[in-house]
Every structure is written in structure tokens, then in C-alpha cells.
Amino acid sequence: MIHTFDFTKLSVMESQGLLQSLVCPRPIAFASTVDALGNVNLSPFSFFNMFSTNPPIVVFSPSRRGRDATTKHTYENVLEVPEVVINIVNYAIVEQTSLASVEYEKGVNEFIKAGLTPVPSERVKPPRVAESPASLECRVNEIIPLGTGGGAGTLVVCEVLLVHVKEEVLDASGKRADPRALDLVARMGGDYYAHIANESLFIVPKPNQKKGIGVDQIPFRIRNSRILSGNNLGRLGNTEVMPDKDAVSAFANDPRIAEIFERFSHHTESLEDHLHQLAKELLEAGQVDDAWKTLLQLP
């Protein structure tokens, strides 16, 4: 059963709760800003992402408070001083990040409240968070209000001027971050967070310049398998060319294939299911070519 929600009939808090529980996980912009007097503010925002690399643009949104439509100090600060440092949040500082989201009075320094260390920036006035694995010094190019009511967002369009990355989170190339070392967190709905730890990471090969055959070109008998999942079919469809007949014939000598034919040669349905189960295991181990050669053992 599908439940359909009409946003014209939901309260602001109901709309926010529903959307935040579905549009996730969301990266966290731990934004440090200053006002015209130099007072520092530090606050996390999970309405955040990158939108361009040339120019390098990231956007975050300090929404108006749902209960009374008032604006947040971060929004007020970037109007006065259009600069921000977006600090990346990992597991080691997630509790301190959450503490910094408390609605302290104007002028209260959340660096002090959260027990974090400010580090002077090079191109902008707001300080960086020393404990963060990476920090983006940004110039605010544009501020776009999306409404005036409670829960209305404001897009803060930021151009990245400098990025500071701790050496221990860089990969072997030294030019990008290693997701296994970053140990990031992300926001889910309500009080939930996601921990992007090593054991939760997996690889899906990107098509890039190659053109996969597509699920529609997978033989009908395989495409309608009782065993293979949509993910399995997607991985097969990302193949540029299926193995040729000679490769498939040679693979029939594989001991696993030979055993399946020996056991189930007189029961076509079981034979197909066991071949598909083996192919599924091969796919999940990243052995796509062998999975294809397994699946193509039957005409």
C-alpha cells in the first residue's frame, strides 16, 4: 500500500519531518561565520551540497525557524560579512557538532561552547575548525531567500577559494580524500545520523566513457530470473560486450559449473536456479565476466 501526503494539508513540522526522513543521508556543512563586529558563530546545516566545480560552488541553507519564522545567526552574519568556512564533519566531532546547533544567544561563540579549536583562515575572516578533517574557505556569491514563512530556506551560494585537508585523510594520489579515512557522518531524519565507516562503503563501477548494453539487452531468460536482483541486473547491464561463445564454452570446464550440471542436468528449473545463484555470488564478488559466462551456459 502506498501512502500519499498532500503538502497543502501538512503543517510545517510535519512537512519537515517527512522530507528529512526521506531525503537522506545529507552531508553536513559545519559553517563558521562572523558578523560585522567580528563575533564568531559556528553552526551545522544538513541542507548542503556541491553544485559546480568550475567555478567551485557549494550551497547550504539556513532555514527560518519553523515555530516563528525567525532567521538564524549564520544567515544574518553572511549578510553582514559574505564569507564562510564550511568545515567537514567526521565521527570524531559529531557530538560537538550537534552541541553547536543549540540556539545560543547572539554573540555566544559556539567554538567555546562545543570545545572546538578556531584556526585563522587565509582568505576569509571566519576561522576554521582545527578538529575538522577538511575545511573550505568560501566567498558568498549570492543569498537567495526561498520564502518568508516558518521553515523557508535560504540558499547561500558559496564559491570555494581554498580547501584545507589533513594529510591523513588523503588517498595515495595526494589529490583527493580517501572515504575510508574520512570517517564521515551524515544526517538522517529526526535524531538519526549515518556513519560512513569503512565497513559501510562499497564500489559501483561508474560507466564514465563506456556504454553498457543496458538491462533491456540482457537475454529474457536471465532478465526474468527468480534469483537475480535489480542490482545484479544493473551490474550486468553495465557491461559493454557479453562474452563470446568460445569463452562461454571454455568456462563450462570450471568445477563449479561442472558440478551444477552433474547434479541438476535432469531438472532444468533447478539447473537454471543454481547457475543464477552462482552468478549472483560472482556478481557480488565483482567477477562480472565470470557471472556472464555462468548465466550463458544455458541457451
Side-chain angles (χ1 to χ4, degrees):
M1 179 183 293
I2 298 293
H3 292 267
T4 301
F5 296 87
D6 183 344
F7 271 64
T8 64
K9 298 178 181 178
L10 297 179
S11 69
V12 170
M13 298 310 294
E14 288 171 334
S15 299
Q16 178 175 306
L18 177 59
L19 284 175
Q20 288 183 337
S21 71
L22 293 171
V23 184
C24 56
R26 301 184 304 279
I28 302 169
F30 201 12
S32 49
T33 58
V34 296
D35 64 15
L37 298 176
N39 296 309
V40 175
N41 183 266
L42 179 65
S43 187
F45 299 93
S46 68
F47 293 178
F48 164 60
N49 220 309
M50 60 174 286
F51 291 88
S52 172
T53 54
N54 185 25
I57 298 293
V58 295
V59 178
F60 73 98
S61 175
S63 300
R64 290 177 176 268
R65 296 181 180 91
R67 63 180 180 274
D68 58 11
T70 55
T71 56
K72 297 178 180 178
H73 298 146
T74 298
Y75 167 74
E76 295 162 5
N77 284 358
V78 295
L79 286 175
E80 294 181 19
V81 180
E83 298 175 344
V84 61
V85 177
I86 294 177
N87 304 280
I88 303 302
V89 179
N90 63 2
Y91 188 74
I93 61 171
V94 64
E95 294 282 358
Q96 291 167 288
T97 301
S98 178
L99 178 56
S101 70
V102 172
E103 293 183 9
Y104 293 111
E105 294 78 11
K106 175 74 172 175
V108 172
N109 188 333
E110 287 84 2
F111 274 93
I112 296 172
K113 287 293 185 182
L116 294 166
T117 309
V119 177
S121 296
E122 296 182 24
R123 298 276 185 87
V124 298
K125 294 182 179 67
R128 300 183 277 124
V129 175
E131 291 80 3
S132 175
S135 299
L136 288 62
E137 293 190 24
C138 304
R139 174 176 57 236
V140 175
N141 287 354
E142 193 173 1
I143 298 172
I144 307 172
L146 301 179
T148 57
T154 300
L155 303 184
V156 180
V157 182
C158 308
E159 182 173 350
V160 181
L161 306 176
L162 287 179
V163 178
H164 306 274
V165 185
K166 290 185 176 179
E167 184 177 12
E168 60 264 30
V169 303
L170 291 172
D171 66 9
S173 73
K175 296 182 178 180
R176 61 177 64 189
D178 183 339
R180 297 165 297 183
L182 272 176
D183 202 35
L184 294 177
V185 293
R187 286 290 280 121
M188 306 293 284
D191 291 338
Y192 286 96
Y193 284 74
H195 184 191
I196 317 301
N198 189 31
E199 58 270 18
S200 66
L201 293 167
F202 60 95
I203 294 173
V204 177
K206 294 174 67 175
N208 293 326
Q209 298 301 312
K210 72 177 184 179
K211 187 177 292 185
I213 62 171
V215 172
D216 61 315
Q217 296 302 306
I218 297 173
F220 181 83
R221 192 168 187 170
I222 299 170
R223 194 165 71 243
N224 289 275
S225 170
R226 293 191 299 268
I227 307 297
L228 300 174
S229 68
N231 276 336
N232 297 149
L233 295 176
R235 181 62 66 92
L236 291 169
N238 197 32
T239 302
E240 290 183 275
V241 181
M242 289 187 284
D244 59 32
K245 290 182 179 180
D246 291 341
V248 173
S249 296
F251 198 68
N253 296 319
D254 184 285
R256 295 165 296 182
I257 302 295
E259 181 187 1
I260 290 172
F261 271 92
E262 183 178 347
R263 292 175 59 194
F264 303 105
S265 58
H266 299 297
H267 195 303
T268 303
E269 190 173 281
S270 293
L271 175 63
E272 182 173 83
D273 284 351
H274 280 80
L275 286 172
H276 286 204
Q277 183 59 44
L278 174 58
K280 183 181 183 72
E281 294 167 6
L282 291 168
L283 284 168
E284 291 172 357
Q287 300 174 43
V288 181
D289 191 57
D290 284 355
W292 265 116
K293 288 184 286 190
T294 298
L295 292 166
L296 294 172
Q297 293 301 315
L298 290 177

